[in-house]
Amino acid sequence: MPTLFDRILDAHQGIRPQVPVSTLERSRLLSDELGCEVWLKTEHLMPTGSFKVRGSANKIRVLGESAKRTGVITASTGNHGQGVARAGNLAGVGVTVYVASSTTPAKMAAIRAMGAELVVVEGGALDAEQEARRQAERLGKPYVAPYNDLDTVAGQGTLGVELAEQAPDLDAVFVCTGGGGLIGGTGTALKRLSPRAKVVGVWPEASTCMLDSLKAGEIIETPEFPTLSDGSAGAVEPGSVTFGICQEVIDETVTVTEPEIARAMRKIAEGERWIVEGAAGVAVAGLIRTAGQYRGKKVAVVLCGRNVALETFLGAMALAQE
């Protein structure tokens, strides 16, 4: 059986040209302020505005012909659903997306606009995932997991291959962590291609399920609270393949507060003229909090998405001023 790293290398070639290589841009503002060389991986500029397009495209790519004919089912807090909807649209595969009732209306509208059927589930992200899996089994359709699937993780891992090609001398990479698909895939690629780079997982204090599970040595349920980082919020599915991967690839962990996330979002807006979502702000805030450890070093921050509702962004800007 191919290793995850082998799958990542295959995906790195296979998802092109549907998924472009995102640029790595030097941030003069953050570099000057923090005393280290800061580079921003611009996943927020990807099609659908998120890194999720990578894993979605790879999973749809490797489906068998019969699975492509039946259509697929997935669950999402928004960005993954848009990625699967886009990949399905391009491949002629029908897509049904289950979302939690707390998903932002803007993300729901974006999923529908790409031609996917939307099903709203009362409850949280884990409730939507579990219901989507039940319906996929009942209807005999493939389930496209947002993170608990090696093909999805391999697609996200293409980001790590790109980082190793664009900046092989990185000392650290900061990644917002939810279910572990992005950091698991990216970390796997970096461990093989750029082993000097520390893989730093960053969480909002309001949503730390994977972090708490890593500390406990097993996947556990932990309290979840509202957070600007809605894209990374939610529990980790029991038995998720990403748990063991995260145990292997994450070198350091950081948690940040909601005001820190908001200030990071504002800093990117003012300094780079980019609007990013809360999950991207989490990664930036993680670097800002630990910058003293990286003075004189070269680091990258993954700006994982831009899909933030206007009212949420304005609320973050107000919070940043407090």
Side-chain angles (χ1 to χ4, degrees), residues 1-14 58 61 149-165 181 183-195 245 248-249:
M1 292 290 291
T3 66
L4 177 57
F5 181 67
D6 292 333
R7 291 172 185 247
I8 292 170
L9 293 183
D10 177 64
H12 184 55
Q13 300 297 323
N58 192 52
R61 178 181 73 91
D149 183 286
L150 289 177
D151 294 321
T152 301
V153 176
Q156 320 302 28
T158 60
L159 189 154
V161 179
E162 292 174 17
L163 280 174
E165 293 175 345
I183 197 167
T186 298
T188 297
L190 289 172
K191 291 302 177 188
R192 292 289 295 272
L193 301 174
S194 189
I245 300 170
E248 293 179 0
V249 305

Side-chain angles (χ1 to χ4, degrees), residues 19-304:
V19 180
V21 173
S22 64
T23 60
L24 187 65
E25 306 284 347
R26 186 178 185 275
S27 172
R28 184 174 65 179
L29 172 66
L30 289 173
S31 297
D32 291 345
E33 286 190 3
L34 302 180
C36 51
E37 189 176 347
V38 181
W39 292 78
L40 303 175
K41 187 63 168 159
T42 61
E43 295 299 290
H44 65 299
L45 302 181
M46 295 291 273
T48 76
S50 166
F51 76 93
K52 290 286 190 177
V53 71
R54 297 175 180 271
S56 303
N58 192 52
K59 184 61 180 181
I60 295 297
R61 178 181 73 91
V62 300
L63 286 175
E65 290 305 316
S66 61
K68 290 180 180 180
R69 288 193 296 270
T70 65
V72 301
I73 290 176
T74 191
S76 174
T77 56
N79 290 341
H80 172 70
Q82 292 178 58
V84 178
R86 177 180 184 269
N89 195 334
L90 291 173
V93 176
V95 175
T96 302
V97 182
Y98 285 71
V99 298
S101 54
S102 58
T103 302
T104 62
K107 289 185 177 180
M108 291 189 191
I111 292 170
R112 287 194 181 100
M114 292 180 186
E117 179 184 354
L118 196 70
V119 178
V120 180
V121 177
E122 290 300 322
L126 184 58
D127 297 306
E129 285 184 36
Q130 292 174 337
E131 179 60 19
R133 283 191 180 275
R134 282 193 291 267
Q135 293 302 320
E137 183 176 353
R138 184 180 70 85
L139 297 171
K141 293 185 177 184
Y143 176 73
V144 181
Y147 58 87
N148 188 14
D149 183 286
L150 289 177
D151 294 321
T152 301
V153 176
Q156 320 302 28
T158 60
L159 189 154
V161 179
E162 292 174 17
L163 280 174
E165 293 175 345
Q166 293 166 325
D169 55 344
L170 286 172
D171 293 296
V173 177
F174 288 76
V175 186
C176 177
T177 307
L182 175 59
I183 197 167
T186 298
T188 297
L190 289 172
K191 291 302 177 188
R192 292 289 295 272
L193 301 174
S194 189
R196 67 175 281 178
K198 289 185 177 180
V199 178
V200 184
V202 192
W203 286 261
E205 289 183 356
S207 182
T208 56
C209 184
M210 179 61 84
L211 176 59
D212 294 338
S213 296
L214 291 172
K215 291 178 179 178
E218 61 180 345
I219 297 175
I220 61 174
E221 292 187 17
T222 58
E224 293 282 320
F225 302 97
T227 174
L228 289 167
S229 183
D230 64 306
S232 68
V236 177
E237 189 175 27
S240 176
V241 297
T242 55
F243 177 69
I245 300 170
C246 287
Q247 286 181 308
E248 293 179 0
V249 305
I250 297 178
D251 298 306
E252 296 182 359
T253 63
V254 184
T255 59
V256 293
T257 66
E258 294 302 300
E260 286 177 309
I261 299 169
R263 288 193 290 271
M265 294 169 68
R266 179 175 178 176
K267 190 171 291 289
I268 293 298
E270 292 179 342
E272 311 298 337
R273 298 299 187 263
W274 289 329
I275 292 178
V276 297
E277 62 187 74
V282 166
V284 177
L287 169 60
I288 293 172
R289 173 172 275 216
T290 61
Q293 302 176 32
Y294 297 98
R295 294 193 184 282
K297 297 185 177 181
K298 185 174 182 178
V299 301
V301 181
V302 179
L303 298 183
C304 52

